[in-house]
Protein backbone atom coordinates (compact mmCIF):
# COMPACT_ATOMS: atom_id res chain seq x y z
CA UNK A 1 0.00 0.00 0.00
CA UNK A 2 1.39 3.39 -1.04
CA UNK A 3 1.00 6.15 1.51
CA UNK A 4 0.57 9.75 0.46
CA UNK A 5 4.08 11.24 0.54
CA UNK A 6 4.77 14.16 2.83
CA UNK A 7 7.13 16.69 1.25
CA UNK A 8 9.45 19.18 2.85
CA UNK A 9 10.03 22.55 1.24
CA UNK A 10 12.61 21.99 -1.52
CA UNK A 11 15.90 23.77 -1.91
CA UNK A 12 17.13 24.56 -5.43
CA UNK A 13 17.10 21.32 -7.41
CA UNK A 14 15.96 19.13 -4.47
CA UNK A 15 12.82 17.86 -2.80
CA UNK A 16 12.55 15.59 0.24
CA UNK A 17 9.68 13.15 0.71
CA UNK A 18 8.93 11.43 4.00
CA UNK A 19 7.25 8.12 4.87
CA UNK A 20 8.20 6.48 1.56
CA UNK A 21 8.31 2.68 1.61
CA UNK A 22 11.18 0.71 0.10
CA UNK A 23 8.71 -0.77 -2.39
CA UNK A 24 7.68 2.70 -3.55
CA UNK A 25 11.33 3.72 -3.90
CA UNK A 26 12.09 0.63 -6.01
CA UNK A 27 8.99 1.23 -8.13
CA UNK A 28 10.11 4.79 -8.85
CA UNK A 29 13.55 3.56 -9.89
CA UNK A 30 12.05 0.95 -12.21
CA UNK A 31 9.48 3.26 -13.77
CA UNK A 32 11.92 6.13 -14.29
CA UNK A 33 14.57 3.88 -15.81
CA UNK A 34 18.18 4.80 -16.48
CA UNK A 35 17.62 7.61 -18.99
CA UNK A 36 16.69 10.38 -16.58
CA UNK A 37 18.16 13.63 -15.36
CA UNK A 38 17.39 13.18 -11.67
CA UNK A 39 18.99 11.16 -8.89
CA UNK A 40 17.32 9.44 -5.98
CA UNK A 41 18.69 8.94 -2.46
CA UNK A 42 16.80 6.80 0.05
CA UNK A 43 17.36 6.40 3.77
CA UNK A 44 14.86 4.38 5.79
CA UNK A 45 11.71 6.17 4.69
CA UNK A 46 13.24 9.46 3.50
CA UNK A 47 13.51 9.98 -0.24
CA UNK A 48 15.48 12.86 -1.73
CA UNK A 49 14.95 13.68 -5.40
CA UNK A 50 17.69 15.81 -6.91
CA UNK A 51 17.99 17.56 -10.26
CA UNK A 52 21.68 18.28 -11.03
CA UNK A 53 22.57 21.88 -11.85
CA UNK A 54 25.36 23.10 -14.15
CA UNK A 55 27.36 24.43 -11.20
CA UNK A 56 27.11 20.92 -9.77
CA UNK A 57 27.97 18.97 -12.93
CA UNK A 58 31.10 20.92 -13.89
CA UNK A 59 33.20 20.13 -10.78
CA UNK A 60 31.94 16.53 -10.88
CA UNK A 61 33.29 16.08 -14.41
CA UNK A 62 36.61 17.70 -13.47
CA UNK A 63 37.04 15.33 -10.50
CA UNK A 64 36.16 12.34 -12.70
CA UNK A 65 38.83 13.42 -15.18
CA UNK A 66 41.38 13.69 -12.35
CA UNK A 67 40.64 10.06 -11.45
CA UNK A 68 41.02 8.98 -15.09
CA UNK A 69 44.28 10.92 -15.43
CA UNK A 70 45.75 9.47 -12.23
CA UNK A 71 44.83 5.93 -13.22
CA UNK A 72 46.48 6.46 -16.60
CA UNK A 73 49.66 8.04 -15.26
CA UNK A 74 49.98 5.48 -12.44
CA UNK A 75 49.05 2.59 -14.78
CA UNK A 76 46.21 1.47 -12.49
CA UNK A 77 43.19 -0.38 -13.86
CA UNK A 78 39.88 1.15 -12.79
CA UNK A 79 36.24 0.48 -13.55
CA UNK A 80 33.91 3.46 -13.76
CA UNK A 81 30.54 2.88 -12.11
CA UNK A 82 29.19 6.34 -12.87
CA UNK A 83 25.93 7.11 -11.08
CA UNK A 84 25.00 3.43 -10.77
CA UNK A 85 22.23 3.01 -8.20
CA UNK A 86 23.70 1.54 -5.00
CA UNK A 87 20.97 -0.33 -3.13
CA UNK A 88 20.93 -2.36 0.07
CA UNK A 89 17.36 -3.58 0.77
CA UNK A 90 18.59 -5.19 4.00
CA UNK A 91 19.68 -1.73 5.21
CA UNK A 92 16.69 0.11 3.67
CA UNK A 93 19.18 2.48 2.06
CA UNK A 94 19.99 3.44 -1.50
CA UNK A 95 21.87 6.16 -3.31
CA UNK A 96 23.01 7.32 -6.73
CA UNK A 97 26.39 9.01 -6.31
CA UNK A 98 27.63 11.68 -8.65
CA UNK A 99 30.22 9.16 -9.70
CA UNK A 100 31.74 5.94 -8.42
CA UNK A 101 34.89 3.96 -9.24
CA UNK A 102 36.15 0.47 -8.56
CA UNK A 103 39.90 0.65 -8.08
CA UNK A 104 41.20 -1.77 -5.45
CA UNK A 105 38.29 -4.11 -6.23
CA UNK A 106 38.31 -3.62 -9.99
CA UNK A 107 39.15 -7.29 -10.62
CA UNK A 108 36.18 -8.49 -8.55
CA UNK A 109 33.68 -6.41 -10.53
CA UNK A 110 35.12 -6.53 -14.06
CA UNK A 111 32.84 -8.43 -16.41
CA UNK A 112 29.74 -8.29 -14.21
CA UNK A 113 26.52 -7.05 -15.80
CA UNK A 114 24.83 -6.31 -12.48
CA UNK A 115 26.07 -5.60 -8.96
CA UNK A 116 24.54 -7.00 -5.78
CA UNK A 117 25.90 -5.02 -2.86
CA UNK A 118 24.84 -7.72 -0.41
CA UNK A 119 27.55 -9.93 -1.93
CA UNK A 120 29.68 -7.61 -4.09
CA UNK A 121 31.88 -4.81 -2.70
CA UNK A 122 30.71 -1.20 -3.04
CA UNK A 123 32.71 1.26 -5.17
CA UNK A 124 36.14 2.00 -3.73
CA UNK A 125 35.71 5.71 -4.39
CA UNK A 126 32.58 7.84 -4.58
CA UNK A 127 32.46 11.46 -5.73
CA UNK A 128 29.80 13.73 -4.26
CA UNK A 129 29.34 17.39 -5.20
CA UNK A 130 26.98 19.63 -3.22
CA UNK A 131 26.06 23.17 -4.20
CA UNK A 132 22.87 23.21 -2.10
CA UNK A 133 22.20 21.78 1.34
CA UNK A 134 21.28 18.10 1.20
CA UNK A 135 18.37 16.98 3.34
CA UNK A 136 19.53 13.39 3.64
CA UNK A 137 22.62 11.87 5.28
CA UNK A 138 24.36 10.47 2.23
CA UNK A 139 27.58 9.88 4.14
CA UNK A 140 25.60 7.71 6.53
CA UNK A 141 24.26 5.73 3.57
CA UNK A 142 27.74 5.16 2.13
CA UNK A 143 29.18 4.31 5.55
CA UNK A 144 26.49 1.66 6.08
CA UNK A 145 27.37 0.19 2.68
CA UNK A 146 31.09 0.22 3.47
CA UNK A 147 32.29 2.67 0.77
CA UNK A 148 35.97 3.20 1.74
CA UNK A 149 36.45 6.72 0.37
CA UNK A 150 34.50 9.82 -0.64
CA UNK A 151 35.77 12.85 -2.48
CA UNK A 152 33.35 15.56 -1.43
CA UNK A 153 33.12 18.99 -3.02
CA UNK A 154 30.84 21.22 -0.97
CA UNK A 155 30.31 24.68 -2.49
CA UNK A 156 33.82 24.57 -3.94
CA UNK A 157 35.54 23.18 -0.83
CA UNK A 158 37.13 19.77 -1.45
CA UNK A 159 37.50 17.12 1.24
CA UNK A 160 38.86 13.58 1.20
CA UNK A 161 36.91 11.33 3.56
CA UNK A 162 37.98 7.81 4.57
CA UNK A 163 35.83 5.27 6.35
CA UNK A 164 37.29 4.33 9.72
CA UNK A 165 35.43 2.31 12.35
CA UNK A 166 32.11 3.01 10.66
CA UNK A 167 32.54 6.79 10.32
CA UNK A 168 34.16 9.09 7.79
CA UNK A 169 37.17 11.12 8.83
CA UNK A 170 38.84 13.87 6.85
CA UNK A 171 42.30 13.03 5.51
CA UNK A 172 45.07 14.85 3.70
CA UNK A 173 45.74 12.17 1.07
CA UNK A 174 43.53 9.93 -1.03
CA UNK A 175 43.16 6.29 -0.02
CA UNK A 176 42.84 5.08 -3.61
CA UNK A 177 45.70 7.32 -4.83
CA UNK A 178 48.09 7.93 -1.90
CA UNK A 179 50.27 10.17 -4.06
CA UNK A 180 47.42 12.70 -4.26
CA UNK A 181 46.97 15.34 -1.52
CA UNK A 182 43.64 17.10 -1.21
CA UNK A 183 45.39 20.47 -1.44
CA UNK A 184 46.40 19.76 -5.05
CA UNK A 185 42.88 18.74 -6.04
CA UNK A 186 41.53 21.94 -4.48
CA UNK A 187 44.13 24.00 -6.33
CA UNK A 188 43.44 22.46 -9.74
CA UNK A 189 39.69 22.58 -9.22
CA UNK A 190 39.90 26.30 -8.48
CA UNK A 191 41.96 26.77 -11.65
CA UNK A 192 39.14 25.14 -13.64
CA UNK A 193 37.18 28.37 -13.18
CA UNK A 194 39.64 30.30 -15.34
CA UNK A 195 41.52 27.66 -17.37
CA UNK A 196 40.18 25.48 -20.17
CA UNK A 197 39.69 21.79 -19.37
CA UNK A 198 42.24 20.57 -21.90
CA UNK A 199 44.92 22.88 -20.50
CA UNK A 200 43.95 21.99 -16.94
CA UNK A 201 44.18 18.24 -17.54
CA UNK A 202 47.57 18.60 -19.22
CA UNK A 203 48.85 20.48 -16.18
CA UNK A 204 47.36 17.90 -13.81
CA UNK A 205 48.95 15.01 -15.69
CA UNK A 206 52.31 16.80 -15.68
CA UNK A 207 52.00 17.29 -11.91
CA UNK A 208 51.15 13.61 -11.40
CA UNK A 209 54.16 12.49 -13.45
CA UNK A 210 56.43 14.70 -11.35
CA UNK A 211 55.08 13.09 -8.17
CA UNK A 212 55.91 9.64 -9.52
CA UNK A 213 59.46 10.73 -10.30
CA UNK A 214 59.80 12.16 -6.79
CA UNK A 215 58.58 8.93 -5.12
CA UNK A 216 61.40 6.96 -3.46
CA UNK A 217 62.36 3.90 -5.47
Amino acid sequence: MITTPKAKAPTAGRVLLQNISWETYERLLNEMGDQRNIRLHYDRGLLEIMTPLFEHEHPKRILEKFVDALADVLNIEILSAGSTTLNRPDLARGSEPNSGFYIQNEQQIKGKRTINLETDPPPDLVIEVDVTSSSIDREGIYAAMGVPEIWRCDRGEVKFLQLRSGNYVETEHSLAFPVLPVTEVAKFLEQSQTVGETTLLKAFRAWAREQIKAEPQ
Side-chain angles (χ1 to χ4, degrees), residues 53-209:
L53 307 172
F54 173 76
E55 59 181 327
H56 170 279
E57 290 296 290
H58 177 66
K60 181 205 77 167
R61 288 291 296 130
I62 296 296
L63 293 173
E64 288 175 334
K65 290 180 179 182
F66 287 170
V67 173
D68 292 338
L70 282 166
D72 183 36
V73 171
L74 296 170
N75 196 29
I76 296 174
E77 293 294 346
I78 64 173
L79 192 155
S80 300
S83 294
T84 298
T85 303
L86 307 178
N87 279 348
R88 283 286 300 270
D90 57 321
L91 301 174
R93 285 177 162 123
S95 187
E96 294 174 325
N98 296 133
S99 195
F101 294 89
Y102 284 95
I103 304 168
Q104 294 94 328
N105 287 310
E106 180 266 345
Q107 283 288 333
Q108 293 188 47
I109 301 300
K110 185 168 58 180
K112 289 181 177 284
R113 295 180 62 86
T114 60
I115 296 173
N116 180 357
L117 292 183
E118 294 188 42
T119 54
D120 295 320
D124 298 299
L125 171 64
V126 156
I127 293 173
E128 282 288 353
V129 178
D130 278 319
V131 295
T132 58
S133 297
S134 178
S135 302
I136 205 165
D137 181 14
R138 274 179 275 163
E139 287 180 18
I141 295 174
Y142 296 132
M145 292 181 179
V147 174
E149 181 175 15
I150 300 173
W151 288 6
R152 180 171 177 174
C153 180
D154 191 347
R155 297 175 182 85
E157 181 183 1
V158 183
K159 294 181 180 179
F160 287 171
L161 304 174
Q162 293 181 20
L163 187 62
R164 296 179 183 173
S165 302
N167 294 292
Y168 286 105
V169 297
E170 194 171 345
T171 60
E172 293 298 318
H173 285 76
S174 169
L175 178 64
F177 304 103
V179 70
L180 181 66
V182 68
T183 51
E184 288 299 319
V185 172
K187 182 185 77 174
F188 280 106
L189 193 60
E190 184 176 357
Q191 290 178 10
S192 72
Q193 301 300 311
T194 56
V195 176
E197 289 187 20
T198 300
T199 301
L200 182 75
L201 265 294
K202 285 181 179 179
F204 183 78
R205 284 175 180 271
W207 173 87
R209 292 189 185 100

